[in-house]
């Protein structure tokens, strides 16, 4: 009889023989490769981009020190990245302590850099001295080229270790002129399961960097995105700094007052730069940075800003009797009131910043709070005194927010009292689970009472709760908080989750750590899903940020032949299933010299992209795009990336001065106000300039056509079916019999359908959850072992905010433009 092992030992993996021999000491790069998450947060795609940020941050440090003016970032087709700057170049002389060159020391030694002693850099974003060495450790190979002291020095590395000595030579004509550093690396596929780059994330990050460093030019080029993205090359350079940043962010949000408040001052070695302007939205948008590093979790600089803002606006409002004196008037503005609708950028530069962790999410320096509070307080007082009409508009915005907050509190208290009087704090329609641990519990927000009934019967009562919603909830993008809280379905949802909303949200009180939206696969279901996403994004963003929100994926089809049946979740799965059942004895052979042959499973894999390509071609023809133009857009590398940005005027500042002051007058003020006025005119002129166009075979290609979803999809799909399209005509055989010849590639799907035996095949399209019985709903959508779900994320909060504002906001024009651009893309429209 086998001896039973100790259960606890099995679980913990411990050993009774625990001695000094069991202590592992990892040195240098070995520790980084063993625990990469400690240094870059994750080994997912965010970690891959983190490597890019680390090297670019080093180049930006050179710019902040006043030695670099340009940074070039190139993402190569193989996934490697090159960053080139025109700074001083990493020192290459011998390091006294290590005996190695300073270059090799920086690249192969943790906590080695020029940012500790204060001589190399007064201000920097890289503080821990691990950026370059960590990138080197987590890369399959790295090549560094340094241009300084009249020489070009190169050294290669592999997984954190030097491969050979540093090589120094004289510069030649192919070298980048001047001084600087070039770093080229390939992320290690053994560390990162997937290597990829998000163009929007990269371009937005580097755009931020350019805004935060006036005059710095950042050029991003991506060969990686050549065939899948309409833009793969962009250059950023802004002279207006964070003031231009705020004006750009507020351009489509409806500014409450015309002037952007701007402050820049140095106090006790802390450089503070702040710009702010209120808009018509109901949310706060405060972007904070420390040494150009985005501090998503805020910190002392944000605390100082908020403190000064609340104090100064309250003082100004009371001094000018803007709060009123009646019984029901506002007595004091809260911080939440003053920040509603604000668009603000806070940038500080500190000699010795104290970040929380290597990912630098929060700034901890206590002295920064006082510096920011002092600068913002003094500048805001001056701004309000100089612009009393702007101040009145800001206070009016804040008092409206305060009244809405008071009404929302009354509505929230009423909901709580009503639930208490009903005999319990949870809504009656909620079918709760028995599990009390939130981490093990989940709630399905289900469309309709019918689907709610099926879900209640099919669920696992131990850990799955069901909350059915009747009809469509309120569009919170257009509603004030008090109206939202008075809406019965939203009140039930808030109560069921238990964590509160807005600033009152408490993660500890969240009753379920998986909140799952489950709606029908039709237009109404999509609308309800969008309304729920809008509610969560605006009122409980923490649920999204902490990874608690999911979207269930019910099946689209149930396909059967004989006794064999299968649930299918996409058109691609349906095509593959159909090919395996109906097209197994078909062969399609090209009649050209290319000898393309498709059979069995390969037919199923190519059918969906082929159909999508055919549909996209039809949309392109409706848009009157000639076939010759389509062919060039999808096949010619010359058209892979086109720049539609307007041509800038040759001398915009001079033009602006002429329009501001007249040709015969000289400016009377050379201070910040005049600079701001000039800058505003330049931006307005740039905005009204027409986009570039391109002439192709007599057809004028515009930006709107190039960015049209159908055209983009043609460019994405073409590489997948390139061989089929270029093959031209096909001969189709079934078993040993030729059933069709000279079949054009786009007629292949219909030829297969016309010649296949569909007897006994049944495909049912499921649109409503109520069409499935409880057992089927459990089997396909709710069983944790079988179901598919999408986790909702918002990596780019500003882009998400723009999308919700466009689709769900009051402004009709952006939504009309969006519908016009995407109307031809709609499928399965219920009319």
């Amino acid at each position: 009889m086998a001896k039973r092992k100790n259960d606890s030992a099995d679980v913990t993996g411990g050993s009774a023989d625990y001695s000094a021999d069991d202590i592992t000491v990892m040195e240098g790069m070995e520790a980084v490769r063993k625990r990469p998450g400690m240094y870059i947060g994750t080994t997912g795609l965010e970690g891959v981009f983190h490597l890019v940020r680390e090297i670019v941050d080093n180049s930006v440090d050179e710019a902040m020190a006043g030695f670099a003016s340009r940074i070039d970032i190139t993402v190569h087709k193989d996934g490697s990245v090159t960053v080139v700057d025109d700074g001083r170049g990493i020192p290459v002389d011998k390091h006294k302590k290590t005996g190695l060159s300073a270059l090799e020391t920086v690249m192969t030694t943790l906590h080695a850099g020029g940012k500790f002693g204060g001589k190399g850099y007064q201000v920097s974003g890289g503080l821990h001295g691990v950026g370059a060495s960590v990138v080197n450790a987590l890369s399959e190979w790295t090549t560094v080229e340094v241009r300084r002291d009249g020489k070009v020095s190169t050294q290669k590395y592999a997984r954190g270790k030097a491969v050979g000595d540093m090589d120094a030579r004289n510069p030649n004509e192919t070298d980048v002129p001047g001084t600087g550093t070039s770093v080229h690396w390939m992320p290690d596929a053994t560390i990162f399961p997937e290597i990829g780059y998000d163009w929007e994330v990269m371009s937005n990050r580097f755009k931020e960097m350019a805004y935060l460093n006036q005059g710095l030019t950042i050029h991003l080029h991506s060969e990686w995105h050549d065939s899948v993205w309409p833009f793969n090359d962009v250059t950023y350079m802004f002279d207006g700094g964070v003031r231009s940043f705020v004006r750009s962010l507020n351009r489509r949000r409806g500014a409450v007052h015309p002037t952007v408040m701007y402050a820049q001052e140095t106090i006790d070695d802390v450089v503070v730069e702040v710009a702010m302007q209120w808009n018509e939205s109901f949310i706060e948008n405060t972007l904070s940075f420390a040494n150009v590093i985005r501090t998503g979790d805020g910190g002392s600089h944000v605390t100082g800003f908020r403190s000064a803002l609340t104090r100064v606006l309250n003082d100004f409002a009371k001094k000018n009797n803007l709060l009123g004196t009646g019984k029901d008037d506002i007595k004091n503005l809260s911080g939440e009131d003053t920040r509603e609708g604000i668009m603000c950028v806070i940038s500080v530069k500190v000699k010795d910043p104290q970040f929380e962790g290597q990912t630098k999410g929060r700034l901890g320096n206590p002295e920064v709070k006082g510096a920011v509070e002092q600068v913002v307080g003094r500048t805001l007082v001056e701004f309000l005194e100089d612009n009393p009409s702007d101040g009145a508009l800001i206070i009016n915005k804040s008092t409206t927010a305060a009244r809405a907050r008071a009404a929302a509190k009354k509505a929230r208290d009423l909901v709580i009292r009503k639930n208490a009087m009903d005999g319990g704090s949870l809504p009656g329609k909620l079918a709760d689970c028995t599990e009390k641990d939130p981490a093990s519990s989940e709630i399905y927000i289900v469309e309709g009472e019918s689907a709610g009934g099926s879900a209640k019967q099919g669920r696992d009562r131990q850990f799955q709760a069901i909350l059915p919603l009747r009809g469509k909830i309120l569009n919170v993008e257009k509603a004030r908080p008090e109206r939202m809280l008075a809406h019965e379905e939203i009140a039930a949802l808030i109560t069921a989750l238990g964590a509160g909303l807005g600033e009152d949200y408490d993660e500890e009180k969240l009753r379920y750590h998986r909140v799952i939206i489950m709606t029908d696969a039709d237009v109404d279901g999509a609308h309800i899903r969008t309304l729920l996403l809008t509610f969560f994004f605006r009122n409980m963003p923490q649920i999204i940020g902490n990874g608690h929100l999911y979207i269930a994926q019910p099946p689209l089809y149930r396909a059967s032949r004989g006794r064999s049946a299968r649930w299918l979740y996409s058109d691609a799965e349906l095509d593959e299933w159909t090919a395996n059942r109906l097209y197994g004895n078909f062969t399609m052979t090209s009649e050209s010299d290319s000898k393309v042959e498709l059979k069995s499973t390969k037919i199923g894999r190519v059918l969906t992209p082929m159909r999508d390509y055919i549909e996209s071609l039809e949309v392109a023809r409706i848009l009157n795009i000639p076939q010759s133009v389509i062919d060039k857009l999808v096949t010619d590398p010359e058209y892979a990336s086109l720049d539609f940005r307007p041509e800038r005027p040759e001398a915009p500042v001079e033009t602006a001065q002429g329009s501001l002051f007249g040709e015969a007058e000289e400016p009377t003020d050379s201070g910040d106000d005049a600079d701001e006025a000039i800058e505003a005119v330049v931006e307005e002129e740039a905005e009204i300039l027409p986009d570039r166009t391109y002439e192709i075979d007599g057809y004028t290609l515009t930006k709107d056509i190039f960015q049209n979803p159908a055209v983009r999809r043609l460019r994405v799909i073409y590489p997948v079916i390139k061989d089929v399209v270029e093959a031209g005509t096909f001969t189709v055989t079934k078993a040993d019999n030729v059933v069709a010849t000279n079949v054009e590639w786009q007629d292949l799907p219909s030829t297969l359908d016309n010649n296949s035996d569909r007897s006994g095949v049944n495909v049912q399209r499921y649109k409503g959850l109520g069409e499935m019985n409880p057992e089927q709903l459990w089997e396909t959508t709710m069983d944790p072992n079988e179901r598919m779900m999408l986790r909702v994320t918002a990596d780019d909060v500003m882009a998400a905010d723009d999308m919700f504002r466009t689709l769900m906001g009051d402004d009709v024009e952006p939504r009309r433009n969006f519908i016009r651009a995407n109307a031809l893309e709609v499928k399965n429209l219920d009319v």
Side-chain angles (χ1 to χ4, degrees):
M1 183 175 178
K3 185 178 181 181
R4 188 174 183 272
K5 295 182 180 179
N6 181 277
D7 289 341
S8 61
D10 288 347
V11 173
T12 60
S15 171
D17 299 326
Y18 182 54
S19 66
D21 294 337
D22 296 305
I23 304 300
T24 301
V25 178
M26 294 184 292
E27 298 181 356
M29 301 299 100
E30 184 185 356
V32 180
R33 292 182 60 81
K34 186 70 175 177
R35 297 286 186 267
M38 289 179 58
Y39 298 88
I40 61 172
T42 174
T43 56
L45 293 181
E46 292 178 6
V48 176
F49 179 54
H50 194 94
L51 302 186
V52 183
R53 287 171 45 199
E54 288 287 359
I55 299 300
V56 173
D57 284 348
N58 290 338
S59 296
V60 170
D61 290 342
E62 281 288 287
M64 288 194 291
F67 298 104
S69 61
R70 182 181 177 92
I71 302 171
D72 289 87
I73 305 117
T74 302
V75 182
H76 301 283
K77 230 174 183 58
D78 61 358
S80 64
V81 181
T82 300
V83 176
V84 182
D85 66 49
D86 61 352
R88 292 168 291 183
I90 300 174
V92 294
D93 50 320
K94 190 173 182 180
H95 191 271
K96 294 180 181 179
K97 185 174 181 179
T98 64
L100 306 171
S101 69
L103 172 60
E104 186 172 344
T105 300
V106 166
M107 296 301 297
T108 61
T109 308
L110 289 176
H111 310 294
K115 301 160 189 176
F116 296 106
K119 295 182 179 179
Y121 298 88
Q122 292 296 312
V123 173
S124 68
L127 274 300
H128 303 158
V130 301
S133 55
V134 163
V135 173
N136 191 17
L138 300 180
S139 298
E140 182 181 338
W141 51 260
T142 307
T143 301
V144 182
E145 183 181 276
V146 177
R147 308 178 306 282
R148 61 177 290 158
D149 304 326
K151 295 285 187 181
V152 177
S153 303
T154 306
Q155 189 166 29
K156 297 182 178 181
Y157 309 88
R159 295 183 169 90
K161 299 180 180 179
V163 179
D165 297 329
M166 183 181 69
D167 173 61
R169 59 175 174 79
N170 293 322
N172 55 46
E173 295 180 355
T174 62
D175 290 321
V176 178
T179 61
T181 302
S182 171
V183 183
H184 186 193
W185 73 93
M186 169 63 80
D188 194 341
T190 64
I191 299 292
F192 302 98
E194 180 184 1
I195 296 175
Y197 302 90
D198 187 311
W199 173 263
E200 289 189 356
V201 171
M202 289 194 304
S203 57
N204 286 337
R205 172 57 184 155
F206 299 138
K207 185 178 183 180
E208 284 181 355
M209 285 184 165
Y211 271 123
L212 296 168
N213 293 274
Q214 296 184 36
L216 174 64
T217 298
I218 299 182
H219 172 231
L220 171 64
H221 177 76
S222 177
E223 299 169 0
W224 181 270
H225 295 91
D226 269 354
S227 62
V228 297
W229 199 254
F231 302 113
N232 69 341
D233 192 280
V234 66
T235 300
Y236 296 117
M237 196 280 282
F238 303 102
D239 284 328
V242 300
R243 182 165 42 193
S244 293
F245 198 178
V246 168
R247 189 178 292 114
S248 172
L249 292 171
N250 251 352
R251 191 162 283 151
R252 291 173 51 192
R253 287 176 166 80
V256 170
H257 56 97
T259 311
V260 177
M261 196 222 86
Y262 176 74
Q264 184 178 26
E265 191 175 341
T266 302
I267 295 181
D268 298 331
D269 295 328
V270 178
V271 180
V272 180
E273 189 176 11
V274 179
M276 69 183 89
Q277 184 183 37
W278 278 258
N279 57 51
E280 295 175 353
S281 72
F282 305 141
I283 62 172
E284 172 192 0
N285 280 304
T286 299
L287 306 181
S288 63
F289 302 85
N291 294 5
V292 195
I293 303 298
R294 177 77 173 271
T295 47
D297 299 326
S300 54
H301 50 334
V302 176
T303 303
F305 162 75
R306 289 178 170 177
S307 176
L309 184 71
T310 306
R311 172 175 51 81
V312 171
L313 287 183
N314 269 301
D315 290 346
F316 176 79
K318 292 174 182 177
K319 179 181 177 182
N320 293 276
N321 296 319
L322 297 176
L323 296 180
T325 57
K327 180 180 178 181
D328 296 327
D329 284 322
I330 303 299
K331 301 297 185 287
N332 217 35
L333 296 172
S334 71
E336 186 180 356
D337 300 331
T338 61
R339 297 193 303 274
E340 181 178 292
I342 195 172
M343 180 63 71
C344 176
V345 176
I346 308 168
S347 175
V348 296
K349 294 174 181 175
V350 194
K351 267 189 176 182
D352 186 22
Q354 300 166 14
F355 289 110
E356 293 185 3
Q358 170 63 14
T359 52
K360 308 175 181 119
R362 183 179 178 86
L363 183 68
N365 297 60
E367 72 277 9
V368 174
K369 176 183 179 295
V372 173
E373 189 171 356
Q374 188 175 339
V375 171
V376 172
R378 180 166 52 246
T379 308
L380 186 55
V381 168
E382 295 173 357
F383 174 83
L384 294 173
E385 289 177 351
D386 294 340
N387 303 273
S389 59
D390 285 3
L393 292 170
I394 294 169
I395 297 301
N396 182 60
K397 170 76 174 175
S398 299
T399 54
T400 301
R403 291 187 178 94
R405 176 175 54 84
K409 184 177 186 303
K410 291 180 181 178
R412 187 161 53 243
D413 292 342
L414 181 62
V415 169
I416 293 173
R417 283 198 300 271
K418 181 181 177 182
N419 286 330
M421 293 175 66
D422 287 342
S425 59
L426 295 176
K429 64 171 62 183
L430 172 69
D432 206 0
C433 57
T434 58
E435 176 63 62
K436 300 304 179 185
D437 180 9
S440 302
S441 305
E442 58 190 35
I443 182 171
Y444 279 86
I445 304 170
V446 183
E447 172 192 353
E449 301 291 345
S450 174
S454 294
K456 288 177 183 179
Q457 295 178 54
R459 66 177 174 141
D460 186 327
R461 296 170 183 268
Q462 174 66 30
F463 66 96
Q464 291 178 326
I466 307 296
L467 179 67
L469 298 180
R470 185 177 66 250
K472 296 179 180 178
I473 70 166
L474 187 70
N475 178 7
V476 300
E477 189 72 15
K478 297 181 180 181
R480 297 293 312 186
E482 65 273 20
R483 185 171 168 231
M484 175 188 75
L485 289 168
H487 186 77
E488 182 179 349
E489 302 302 303
I490 291 179
L493 177 57
I494 296 170
T495 307
L497 296 180
L501 70 163
E503 290 198 348
D504 296 330
Y505 180 86
D506 186 351
E507 177 79 9
E508 295 296 322
K509 294 181 179 179
L510 183 63
R511 302 183 66 245
Y512 314 93
H513 281 190
R514 284 182 298 278
V515 180
I516 305 164
I517 299 172
M518 187 163 67
T519 59
D520 292 345
D522 57 11
V523 173
D524 282 340
H527 190 200
I528 292 171
R529 184 167 60 246
T530 304
L531 290 168
L532 285 167
L533 290 172
T534 306
F535 167 76
F536 283 115
F537 182 77
R538 292 304 189 206
N539 296 281
M540 299 181 182
Q542 300 91 336
I543 283 185
I544 298 175
N546 295 334
H548 297 314
L549 188 61
Y550 297 83
I551 296 175
Q553 297 293 290
L556 294 181
Y557 303 98
R558 187 175 189 272
S560 62
R561 188 173 194 179
R563 295 184 178 181
S564 174
R566 182 178 170 187
W567 295 100
L568 305 171
Y569 292 81
S570 66
D571 289 329
E573 285 191 12
L574 176 62
D575 279 333
E576 194 162 341
W577 182 89
T578 305
N580 291 334
R581 301 306 187 282
L582 303 181
Y583 309 146
N585 57 351
F586 279 86
T587 301
M588 301 183 293
T589 308
S590 64
E591 296 174 350
S592 64
D593 296 333
S594 60
K595 297 301 180 187
V596 175
E597 185 176 86
L598 301 173
K599 60 172 61 176
S600 189
T601 303
K602 194 171 182 180
I603 294 176
R605 290 174 182 169
V606 80
L607 273 179
T608 298
M610 193 184 300
R611 288 194 175 110
D612 288 343
Y613 195 83
I614 293 169
E615 290 179 2
S616 300
L617 279 177
E618 185 59 32
V619 173
R621 292 189 182 105
I622 293 173
L623 295 172
N624 295 316
I625 307 175
Q627 184 62 46
S628 63
V629 175
I630 296 173
D631 292 340
K632 288 185 177 179
L633 290 178
V634 300
T635 63
D636 193 335
E638 180 183 348
Y639 299 102
S641 174
L642 297 176
D643 186 358
F644 289 89
R645 288 172 297 172
E647 296 279 2
R648 294 293 300 225
E650 292 185 3
V653 175
E654 287 76 3
T655 302
Q657 288 175 332
S659 63
L660 282 170
F661 307 112
E663 295 181 1
E665 294 184 7
E666 290 295 324
T668 57
D669 183 3
S670 59
D672 290 342
D673 291 340
D675 289 343
E676 183 170 346
I678 292 171
E679 177 189 286
V681 172
V682 173
E683 289 194 356
E684 288 169 7
E685 286 187 355
E687 193 168 314
I688 62 175
L689 289 173
D691 290 328
R692 294 178 185 174
T693 59
Y694 294 85
E695 293 294 324
I696 307 176
D697 296 344
Y699 175 81
T700 301
L701 180 66
T702 64
K703 177 182 177 180
D704 288 341
I705 291 295
F706 190 72
Q707 287 186 324
N708 185 276
V711 176
R712 288 179 56 179
R713 193 161 58 245
L714 286 171
R715 299 175 61 230
V716 172
I717 298 175
Y718 183 77
V720 179
I721 62 171
K722 176 176 179 287
D723 293 340
V724 177
V725 174
E726 293 182 351
T729 59
F730 285 80
T731 295
V732 180
T733 60
K734 183 178 182 182
D736 296 328
N737 301 319
V738 175
V739 295
T741 58
N742 294 319
V743 180
E744 298 288 339
W745 70 268
Q746 58 265 46
D747 295 327
L748 289 175
S750 59
T751 302
L752 289 171
D753 289 338
N754 293 336
N755 290 278
S756 60
D757 179 10
R758 305 187 70 88
S759 59
V761 173
N762 180 41
V763 177
Q764 182 180 356
R765 170 72 163 91
Y766 279 80
K767 292 186 178 182
L769 297 170
E771 296 178 21
M772 288 185 280
N773 60 42
E775 292 77 14
Q776 290 175 326
L777 193 57
W778 164 260
E779 175 189 343
T780 62
T781 316
M782 302 181 70
D783 182 356
N785 296 319
E786 301 294 335
R787 69 187 177 188
M788 291 193 298
M789 298 195 302
L790 300 178
R791 174 176 278 173
V792 179
T793 62
D795 296 328
D796 188 338
V797 177
M798 299 305 295
D801 176 63
D802 280 337
M803 182 58 68
F804 281 112
R805 181 172 298 280
T806 297
L807 297 180
M808 311 301 288
D810 286 317
D811 197 352
V812 176
E813 188 64 25
R815 184 158 53 251
R816 181 188 295 121
N817 294 336
F818 180 88
I819 292 172
R820 284 174 176 170
N822 296 276
L824 296 174
E825 301 299 300
V826 176
K827 296 182 180 180
N828 301 317
L829 181 63
D830 300 327
V831 293

